[in-house]
Amino acid sequence: MKKIAVLTSGGDAPGMNAAVRAVVRKAIYDGVEVIGVNRGYAGVIDGDFVKLDKSSVSDIIQRGGTFLRSARCDEFRTKEGRQKAAEQLKKEGVEGLIVIGGDGSFTGAMLLNEETGIRTIGVPATIDNDIACTDDAIGYDTAMNTIIDAISKIRDTASSHERAFVIEAMGRHAGFLTLAAGLAGGAESILVPEMKFDMDKVCENIQAGYEEGKIHSIILVAEGVEMDGQEFTTNRDVNESNAFLIGKEINERTGFETRVSILGHIQRGGSPTGRDRLLASRLGAASVNALLSGETNKMVGLIHNKVEIAEIRDAIEGNKEFDEELYELANILSI
């Protein structure tokens, strides 16, 4: 193999640049040319390629986001679009493609390989950390620390004004990020999609804490938390998030002055932590090794601090197990 390509796709995650850097420098070390693809799969279809050398990836290991950029591409979702992408790669002389992203990006890599024969390797990068076959995904640790920092700052003002704060974190379908940040940040309540919650219990905990002298409360909510089965005394406004509905309900039931903070895309940005830089460097280099050893339609991940290779289909179709013991520990320590 003499030439490979690398792209970043889906939502950006801190550490993507560090992963691209590792891919480029490991490949060059092995005598392989590297082509960068701008704007993810859209760039493959458009032939938006750039040759990457050692200097191309200098001074990026500490930068958040992705210098290769990312974009949605409905055309790549079609078989015709993927065929066009393969033709562009073959025209460029690319023999293998490394895809850095989440499960949607992995699905594209899997279909591209199965339909066109282009060799593909996936590198997991998503702040949600919901990809199976790896303990951690690139960007997760940085996003967790961003939320923890936000909780600490919000707690200062919550204490000053004796308020309850509902903080919404990212996670439409998965609560891994919310659980870890909530436990490490000392949230009084953590609400995630995987676990049903009792609004009565949430309010009772806040009231009990207030009666024991606690002057603030932090409720960390994943944006996709399930609301089924809850009895609410307040009405939802049009396009109102679950966090605002929960905040209104807490105020209505407890009389506690309540505020809501939506952290939003601040969780995606920022310089990656040392842990994410290390993970990105290890997985980026491992993806090159996998391609050069003849692997395809696989992903590289970290299991018990060891780099492992798995079928990319297993990563897409497998369900990452939610840690209910960690969730229970968070509940115990929040008393």
Side-chain angles (χ1 to χ4, degrees), residues 74-89:
D74 290 335
E75 186 178 1
F76 192 80
R77 297 176 186 271
T78 68
K79 189 171 184 178
E80 294 75 18
R82 292 188 291 271
Q83 186 61 45
K84 184 177 179 181
E87 290 170 0
Q88 291 280 29
L89 290 171

Side-chain angles (χ1 to χ4, degrees), residues 99-125:
V99 175
I100 303 169
D103 55 359
S105 304
F106 280 14
T107 298
M110 179 183 70
L111 294 174
L112 184 67
N113 172 257
E114 291 176 350
E115 295 171 0
T116 71
I118 296 291
R119 292 185 182 181
T120 56
I121 297 291
V123 177

Side-chain angles (χ1 to χ4, degrees), residues 42-55:
V44 182
I45 290 175
D46 294 340
D48 191 358
F49 303 140
V50 58
K51 182 176 179 179
L52 299 177
D53 55 23
K54 288 186 292 184
S55 63

